[in-house]
Amino acid sequence: MTNCRKILTGKKIEVKINGVVIDKKNPLIIAGPCAVESREQIITIAKEVKKLGATALRGGAFKPRTSPYAFQGLEEEGLKYLKEASEITGLPVVTEITDQKYIEMFEKYVDVFQVGSRNMNNYTLLKALGKVKKPILLKRGMSSTIYEWILAAEYLAEFGNTNIILCERGIRTFDTYTRNTLDLAAIPIMKKETGLPVIVDPSHGTGRRELIEPMTMAGLSAGADGVIIEVHNDPDNALSDGLQSIYPIQFKKIVEKIKKFMESEIWIF
Ligand code: PEP
Ligand code: MN
Protein backbone atom coordinates (compact mmCIF):
# COMPACT_ATOMS: atom_id res chain seq x y z
CA MET A 1 0.00 0.00 0.00
CA THR A 2 2.72 2.44 1.05
CA ASN A 3 4.53 1.89 -2.25
CA CYS A 4 1.72 3.55 -4.17
CA ARG A 5 2.32 6.79 -2.34
CA LYS A 6 5.19 9.17 -2.88
CA ILE A 7 4.30 12.01 -0.54
CA LEU A 8 1.85 10.91 2.15
CA THR A 9 3.91 8.11 3.60
CA GLY A 10 3.01 8.57 7.25
CA LYS A 11 5.59 11.17 8.24
CA LYS A 12 3.79 13.81 10.27
CA ILE A 13 2.74 16.85 8.25
CA GLU A 14 1.96 20.07 10.06
CA VAL A 15 -1.15 21.80 8.76
CA LYS A 16 -2.01 25.40 9.57
CA ILE A 17 -5.14 27.44 9.08
CA ASN A 18 -4.30 31.14 8.83
CA GLY A 19 -0.97 30.44 10.57
CA VAL A 20 -2.47 28.42 13.42
CA VAL A 21 -1.26 24.80 13.68
CA ILE A 22 -3.89 22.09 14.16
CA ASP A 23 -2.90 19.82 17.02
CA LYS A 24 -4.22 18.36 20.22
CA LYS A 25 -3.42 21.51 22.18
CA ASN A 26 -5.35 23.50 19.65
CA PRO A 27 -8.10 21.19 18.37
CA LEU A 28 -10.01 22.26 15.31
CA ILE A 29 -13.62 22.90 16.26
CA ILE A 30 -15.52 23.78 13.10
CA ALA A 31 -19.14 24.74 13.76
CA GLY A 32 -22.03 26.34 11.95
CA PRO A 33 -25.10 25.50 9.92
CA CYS A 34 -25.27 22.95 7.13
CA ALA A 35 -26.07 25.77 4.70
CA VAL A 36 -25.81 29.54 4.70
CA GLU A 37 -29.47 30.51 4.57
CA SER A 38 -29.32 34.29 4.95
CA ARG A 39 -26.93 37.05 6.00
CA GLU A 40 -28.63 37.39 9.37
CA GLN A 41 -28.63 33.63 10.01
CA ILE A 42 -24.93 33.10 9.37
CA ILE A 43 -23.81 36.20 11.27
CA THR A 44 -25.99 35.28 14.27
CA ILE A 45 -24.76 31.68 14.47
CA ALA A 46 -21.14 32.69 13.79
CA LYS A 47 -21.20 35.04 16.78
CA GLU A 48 -22.82 32.37 18.89
CA VAL A 49 -20.40 29.53 18.08
CA LYS A 50 -17.41 31.86 18.41
CA LYS A 51 -18.57 32.82 21.91
CA LEU A 52 -18.95 29.13 22.79
CA GLY A 53 -15.46 28.12 21.64
CA ALA A 54 -15.53 27.27 17.94
CA THR A 55 -12.25 27.81 16.12
CA ALA A 56 -13.68 27.89 12.58
CA LEU A 57 -17.02 28.60 10.90
CA ARG A 58 -18.75 26.21 8.54
CA GLY A 59 -21.69 26.77 6.20
CA GLY A 60 -22.36 25.55 2.69
CA ALA A 61 -22.99 28.08 -0.08
CA PHE A 62 -22.81 25.56 -2.94
CA LYS A 63 -24.84 22.60 -1.74
CA PRO A 64 -24.63 19.28 -3.57
CA ARG A 65 -28.16 18.04 -2.85
CA THR A 66 -29.58 14.66 -3.70
CA SER A 67 -32.77 16.24 -5.04
CA PRO A 68 -32.62 18.97 -7.68
CA TYR A 69 -35.66 20.50 -5.97
CA ALA A 70 -33.94 20.89 -2.59
CA PHE A 71 -32.29 24.17 -1.53
CA GLN A 72 -29.11 24.48 -3.59
CA GLY A 73 -27.39 27.20 -1.55
CA LEU A 74 -26.94 30.95 -1.97
CA GLU A 75 -23.77 30.47 -4.03
CA GLU A 76 -21.55 33.60 -4.28
CA GLU A 77 -23.93 35.64 -2.14
CA GLY A 78 -23.50 32.98 0.57
CA LEU A 79 -19.72 33.20 0.31
CA LYS A 80 -19.95 36.98 0.82
CA TYR A 81 -22.02 36.50 3.97
CA LEU A 82 -19.53 33.91 5.24
CA LYS A 83 -16.70 36.38 4.69
CA GLU A 84 -18.61 39.08 6.54
CA ALA A 85 -19.32 36.69 9.44
CA SER A 86 -15.63 35.81 9.48
CA GLU A 87 -14.58 39.46 9.63
CA ILE A 88 -16.96 40.09 12.53
CA THR A 89 -15.91 37.04 14.57
CA GLY A 90 -12.34 36.35 13.46
CA LEU A 91 -13.30 32.75 12.65
CA PRO A 92 -11.78 31.27 9.48
CA VAL A 93 -14.32 30.04 6.93
CA VAL A 94 -14.60 26.40 5.86
CA THR A 95 -16.97 25.81 2.95
CA GLU A 96 -17.52 23.28 0.20
CA ILE A 97 -16.35 23.73 -3.37
CA THR A 98 -18.18 21.63 -5.94
CA ASP A 99 -16.43 22.56 -9.17
CA GLN A 100 -12.96 23.71 -10.15
CA LYS A 101 -14.45 26.65 -12.06
CA TYR A 102 -15.21 28.29 -8.69
CA ILE A 103 -11.64 28.24 -7.34
CA GLU A 104 -10.88 31.87 -8.21
CA MET A 105 -14.14 33.00 -6.64
CA PHE A 106 -13.52 30.96 -3.48
CA GLU A 107 -10.03 32.43 -3.09
CA LYS A 108 -11.64 35.81 -2.31
CA TYR A 109 -13.84 34.60 0.52
CA VAL A 110 -12.69 31.30 1.95
CA ASP A 111 -9.92 30.10 4.32
CA VAL A 112 -10.35 26.32 3.91
CA PHE A 113 -11.68 24.60 0.76
CA GLN A 114 -13.93 21.69 1.68
CA VAL A 115 -14.13 18.72 -0.69
CA GLY A 116 -17.39 16.99 0.11
CA SER A 117 -18.10 13.30 0.23
CA ARG A 118 -19.71 13.36 -3.22
CA ASN A 119 -16.59 14.87 -4.75
CA MET A 120 -13.84 12.87 -3.09
CA ASN A 121 -13.37 10.98 -6.35
CA ASN A 122 -13.56 14.06 -8.55
CA TYR A 123 -9.95 13.84 -9.68
CA THR A 124 -10.19 16.91 -11.92
CA LEU A 125 -11.23 18.92 -8.87
CA LEU A 126 -8.50 17.36 -6.70
CA LYS A 127 -5.80 18.14 -9.28
CA ALA A 128 -6.98 21.75 -9.50
CA LEU A 129 -7.08 22.10 -5.70
CA GLY A 130 -3.55 20.71 -5.56
CA LYS A 131 -2.45 24.03 -7.00
CA VAL A 132 -4.22 26.04 -4.30
CA LYS A 133 -2.14 27.22 -1.33
CA LYS A 134 -4.92 27.24 1.26
CA PRO A 135 -5.75 24.11 3.28
CA ILE A 136 -8.19 21.52 1.97
CA LEU A 137 -10.68 19.66 4.15
CA LEU A 138 -10.97 16.32 2.38
CA LYS A 139 -14.03 14.35 3.42
CA ARG A 140 -14.23 10.63 2.91
CA GLY A 141 -16.42 9.50 0.03
CA MET A 142 -19.57 7.84 1.36
CA SER A 143 -18.73 4.63 -0.49
CA SER A 144 -14.96 4.96 -0.54
CA THR A 145 -12.51 2.54 0.93
CA ILE A 146 -9.76 3.80 3.19
CA TYR A 147 -7.26 3.15 0.44
CA GLU A 148 -9.23 5.22 -2.10
CA TRP A 149 -9.41 8.03 0.44
CA ILE A 150 -5.66 7.90 1.01
CA LEU A 151 -5.07 8.15 -2.73
CA ALA A 152 -7.49 11.07 -3.06
CA ALA A 153 -5.31 12.89 -0.52
CA GLU A 154 -2.24 11.83 -2.47
CA TYR A 155 -3.73 13.54 -5.57
CA LEU A 156 -3.82 16.86 -3.71
CA ALA A 157 -0.28 16.33 -2.45
CA GLU A 158 1.08 15.21 -5.84
CA PHE A 159 -0.34 18.32 -7.49
CA GLY A 160 1.28 20.60 -4.91
CA ASN A 161 -0.87 20.95 -1.80
CA THR A 162 -0.04 19.00 1.37
CA ASN A 163 -2.15 21.29 3.56
CA ILE A 164 -4.77 18.62 3.95
CA ILE A 165 -7.14 17.92 6.81
CA LEU A 166 -8.93 14.59 6.52
CA CYS A 167 -12.50 14.17 7.72
CA GLU A 168 -14.23 10.88 8.55
CA ARG A 169 -17.93 11.51 7.90
CA GLY A 170 -19.40 8.03 7.83
CA ILE A 171 -19.94 5.51 5.07
CA ARG A 172 -22.92 3.67 3.64
CA THR A 173 -23.55 0.25 5.10
CA PHE A 174 -26.51 -2.14 5.27
CA ASP A 175 -27.71 -0.33 8.40
CA THR A 176 -30.05 2.59 7.83
CA TYR A 177 -30.89 3.28 11.47
CA THR A 178 -28.31 6.04 11.35
CA ARG A 179 -27.74 8.16 8.22
CA ASN A 180 -24.26 6.67 7.79
CA THR A 181 -22.00 4.36 9.75
CA LEU A 182 -19.24 6.39 11.36
CA ASP A 183 -16.05 4.42 10.77
CA LEU A 184 -14.06 5.25 13.89
CA ALA A 185 -11.23 2.85 13.06
CA ALA A 186 -10.50 4.96 9.97
CA ILE A 187 -9.32 7.80 12.23
CA PRO A 188 -6.19 6.19 13.74
CA ILE A 189 -5.55 4.39 10.44
CA MET A 190 -5.58 7.60 8.42
CA LYS A 191 -3.43 9.43 10.96
CA LYS A 192 -0.83 6.70 10.85
CA GLU A 193 -0.93 6.07 7.10
CA THR A 194 -0.84 9.70 5.96
CA GLY A 195 0.68 11.74 8.81
CA LEU A 196 -2.09 14.30 8.28
CA PRO A 197 -4.51 15.72 10.86
CA VAL A 198 -7.87 13.94 10.92
CA ILE A 199 -11.15 15.29 12.19
CA VAL A 200 -14.52 13.65 12.75
CA ASP A 201 -17.95 14.71 11.47
CA PRO A 202 -20.54 13.23 13.83
CA SER A 203 -23.31 15.23 12.11
CA HIS A 204 -23.21 13.53 8.69
CA GLY A 205 -21.76 10.45 10.35
CA THR A 206 -24.97 9.78 12.25
CA GLY A 207 -27.69 12.13 10.99
CA ARG A 208 -29.11 12.32 14.50
CA ARG A 209 -28.84 15.17 16.95
CA GLU A 210 -28.70 12.98 20.07
CA LEU A 211 -25.64 11.14 18.74
CA ILE A 212 -23.44 14.20 18.15
CA GLU A 213 -22.02 14.37 21.66
CA PRO A 214 -21.18 10.65 22.09
CA MET A 215 -19.71 10.37 18.58
CA THR A 216 -17.66 13.54 19.06
CA MET A 217 -16.10 12.02 22.15
CA ALA A 218 -15.66 8.66 20.45
CA GLY A 219 -13.89 10.34 17.53
CA LEU A 220 -11.55 12.19 19.85
CA SER A 221 -10.84 8.99 21.77
CA ALA A 222 -9.89 7.37 18.46
CA GLY A 223 -7.29 10.12 17.92
CA ALA A 224 -9.14 12.84 16.00
CA ASP A 225 -7.57 16.31 16.05
CA GLY A 226 -10.92 18.03 15.96
CA VAL A 227 -14.53 17.99 14.85
CA ILE A 228 -16.91 19.54 12.38
CA ILE A 229 -20.40 19.94 13.79
CA GLU A 230 -23.60 21.37 12.36
CA VAL A 231 -25.07 23.93 14.75
CA HIS A 232 -28.25 25.86 13.98
CA ASN A 233 -30.28 28.43 15.91
CA ASP A 234 -33.57 26.96 14.71
CA PRO A 235 -32.90 23.38 13.53
CA ASP A 236 -36.61 22.59 13.04
CA ASN A 237 -36.76 25.20 10.31
CA ALA A 238 -33.29 24.61 8.81
CA LEU A 239 -33.23 24.46 5.01
CA SER A 240 -31.05 21.34 5.19
CA ASP A 241 -29.96 18.74 7.74
CA GLY A 242 -32.10 20.05 10.60
CA LEU A 243 -32.41 16.62 12.27
CA GLN A 244 -28.67 16.35 12.78
CA SER A 245 -28.11 20.01 13.66
CA ILE A 246 -27.62 20.75 17.33
CA TYR A 247 -28.71 23.79 19.30
CA PRO A 248 -26.05 26.25 20.55
CA ILE A 249 -26.72 25.11 24.13
CA GLN A 250 -25.75 21.55 23.17
CA PHE A 251 -22.67 22.82 21.36
CA LYS A 252 -21.60 24.65 24.54
CA LYS A 253 -21.56 21.40 26.49
CA ILE A 254 -19.70 19.55 23.74
CA VAL A 255 -16.97 22.21 23.55
CA GLU A 256 -16.49 22.00 27.31
CA LYS A 257 -16.10 18.24 27.03
CA ILE A 258 -13.69 18.51 24.09
CA LYS A 259 -11.50 20.92 26.05
CA LYS A 260 -11.51 18.71 29.14
CA PHE A 261 -10.66 15.66 27.08
CA MET A 262 -7.80 17.33 25.25
CA GLU A 263 -6.38 18.78 28.47
CA SER A 264 -6.47 15.34 30.09
CA GLU A 265 -3.82 14.22 27.58
CA ILE A 266 -5.21 10.71 27.50
CA TRP A 267 -5.67 11.04 23.74
CA ILE A 268 -3.58 8.94 21.44
CA PHE A 269 -1.24 10.09 18.63
C1 PEP B 1 -21.49 19.15 4.46
O1 PEP B 1 -20.53 19.14 5.24
O2 PEP B 1 -22.31 20.06 4.40
C2 PEP B 1 -21.71 17.99 3.59
C3 PEP B 1 -22.51 18.07 2.53
O3 PEP B 1 -21.06 16.89 4.00
P1 PEP B 1 -20.73 15.55 3.21
O4 PEP B 1 -19.97 15.96 1.98
O5 PEP B 1 -19.89 14.81 4.21
O6 PEP B 1 -22.02 14.88 2.91
MN1 MN C 1 -25.13 19.00 6.05
Side-chain angles (χ1 to χ4, degrees), residues 33-35 58-60 63-64 96 114-119 139-140 142 167 169-170 179-180 201 204 228 230 241 244:
C34 179
R58 66 150 291 144
K63 296 299 301 174
E96 178 168 357
Q114 176 175 327
V115 176
S117 193
R118 289 155 192 80
N119 270 308
K139 289 194 156 198
R140 179 178 184 178
M142 61 184 77
C167 176
R169 50 79 71 203
R179 180 175 176 179
N180 288 293
D201 177 349
H204 296 88
I228 178 166
E230 289 184 341
D241 288 351
Q244 69 195 34

Side-chain angles (χ1 to χ4, degrees), residues 135-152:
I136 312 292
L137 178 67
L138 179 64
K139 289 194 156 198
R140 179 178 184 178
M142 61 184 77
S143 302
S144 300
T145 64
I146 286 177
Y147 191 39
E148 287 163 347
W149 188 17
I150 291 172
L151 289 180

Side-chain angles (χ1 to χ4, degrees), residues 15 25 62 141 173 192 198 253 260:
V15 178
K25 290 198 174 63
F62 290 80
T173 66
K192 183 166 174 288
V198 180
K253 185 175 166 214
K260 257 194 202 146

Side-chain angles (χ1 to χ4, degrees), residues 29-35 37 41-42 45-46 48-49 52 54 57-59 203 212 228-235 238 241 244-252 254-255:
I29 307 176
I30 308 171
C34 179
E37 297 170 5
Q41 174 241 17
I42 194 65
I45 197 73
E48 194 105 35
V49 296
L52 301 176
L57 176 66
R58 66 150 291 144
S203 308
I212 306 307
I228 178 166
I229 301 179
E230 289 184 341
V231 186
H232 199 287
N233 264 316
D234 183 10
D241 288 351
Q244 69 195 34
S245 299
I246 58 170
Y247 293 90
I249 183 82
Q250 293 176 292
F251 178 65
K252 180 174 191 283
I254 292 173
V255 172

